[in-house]
């Protein structure tokens, strides 16, 4: 039975999403056992009031969930590594976690290092190496753009490899 | 024309709310120009998953807004002064700001020092002095309990005084 995994890289200005379709019955190493469904970003403008930006995230993420109908969500763990906008990111992430709970969706969390480890075998890999691994695993001719969408696909793949 | 102001003291475990009914036409110093409508707390359990706690806040805050029908909301500004749970509080606050925006409610923000200043004339007043001012202004025989509800009423009064 196929499984849909949605990766989410939450942010206030840009929230990356990337959905993959997996065939667990084929096993990890069989070509074609995983493919891309959809990817992209939800954007909100810095000139807009915080509440309205959170409304956009709420509405657009609901649309993504309605379209993808994921079985599992993979989301980036939030740390204090970006002090300046941690509150803004956490507020956006609160809305994301609300929406996932309203849809009763199970989710797994990964740190950036865990994603790098899962995709390249090296927890301190650079961004480009991770993006190349995403393209290779999903048999894409080019690296998915923008970066936030590629990061979201990497999260989804990390969940798939763990599964 | 009377005005309903809802104070909100956002937190993940306890969210205090306090609603007051004001008669702007009577002026600031006329007895009976402001009274309490409702106050209380929204509670979520530490043993519950984050997403489910945020769902409870979303649903219960919607119920409070439906009951109070505020014209204005006063909310505490979030700082990094409680490092340990700033992310958790910010996630809860994101849900609060989402709900306010979904209801298209205007809001004003106050720091704790601004609330103290507004209620007692002294920005470093202690908690008890603020709570006594809340009871006095609202002609309550006793200090409202719990503290988070009293804090929320203080926020609503600060907005009323500023108005």
């Amino acid at each position: 039975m196929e499984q849909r995994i949605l990766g989410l890289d939450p942010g206030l200005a840009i929230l990356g999403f990337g959905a993959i379709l997996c065939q667990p019955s084929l096993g990890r190493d069989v070509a074609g056992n995983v493919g891309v469904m959809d990817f992209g970003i939800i954007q909100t403008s810095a000139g807009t009031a915080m509440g309205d930006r959170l409304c956009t995230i709420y509405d657009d993420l609901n649309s993504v969930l309605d379209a993808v109908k994921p079985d599992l969500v993979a989301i980036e763990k939030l740390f204090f590594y970006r002090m300046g906008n941690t509150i803004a990111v956490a507020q956006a992430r609160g809305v994301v976690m609300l929406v996932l709970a309203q849809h009763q969706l199970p989710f797994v969390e990964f740190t950036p290092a865990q994603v790098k480890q899962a995709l390249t075998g090296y927890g301190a890999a650079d961004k480009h190496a991770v993006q190349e691994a995403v393209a290779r695993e999903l048999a894409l001719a080019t690296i998915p753009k923008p970066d936030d969408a590629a990061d979201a696909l990497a999260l989804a793949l990390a969940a798939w490899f763990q599964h």
Side-chain angles (χ1 to χ4, degrees), chain A:
Chain A
M1 191 159 127
E2 63 187 30
Q3 192 182 24
R4 294 151 182 255
I5 305 179
L6 175 67
L8 292 176
D9 185 16
L12 179 63
I14 301 179
L15 186 155
F17 67 89
I20 61 177
L21 187 64
C22 319
Q23 313 285 347
S25 58
L26 292 183
R28 160 86 198 254
D29 292 323
V30 177
N33 67 355
V34 57
V36 68
M37 276 187 72
D38 193 12
F39 61 86
I41 55 171
I42 294 171
Q43 265 186 298
T44 73
S45 159
T48 309
M50 172 64 75
D52 294 331
R53 299 176 79 172
L54 297 174
C55 273
T56 298
I57 291 172
Y58 184 87
D59 294 340
D60 289 4
L61 181 55
N62 267 296
S63 298
V64 169
L65 293 181
D66 289 345
V68 171
K69 299 192 196 314
D71 302 298
L72 178 67
V73 173
I75 185 169
E76 190 178 292
K77 240 182 202 161
L78 181 58
F79 285 106
F80 269 102
Y81 61 100
R82 293 177 290 193
M83 285 298 286
N85 62 357
T86 297
I87 287 179
V89 174
Q91 291 188 162
R93 196 174 192 279
V95 171
V96 170
M97 297 194 71
L98 168 74
V99 173
L100 298 182
Q102 286 179 332
H103 287 256
Q104 297 184 292
L105 280 171
F107 66 91
V108 286
E109 294 182 291
F110 296 99
T111 65
Q114 287 172 326
V115 172
K116 289 173 178 180
Q117 179 72 38
L119 273 280
T120 70
Y122 177 47
D126 69 18
K127 182 182 277 283
H128 194 70
V130 175
Q131 292 177 343
E132 283 186 333
V134 168
R136 190 174 57 248
E137 292 287 347
L138 294 173
L140 298 171
T142 57
I143 287 170
K145 292 284 171 197
D147 284 356
D148 304 84
D151 291 346
L153 286 170
L155 280 156
L157 283 167
W160 162 236
F161 295 159
Q162 189 185 60
H163 200 64

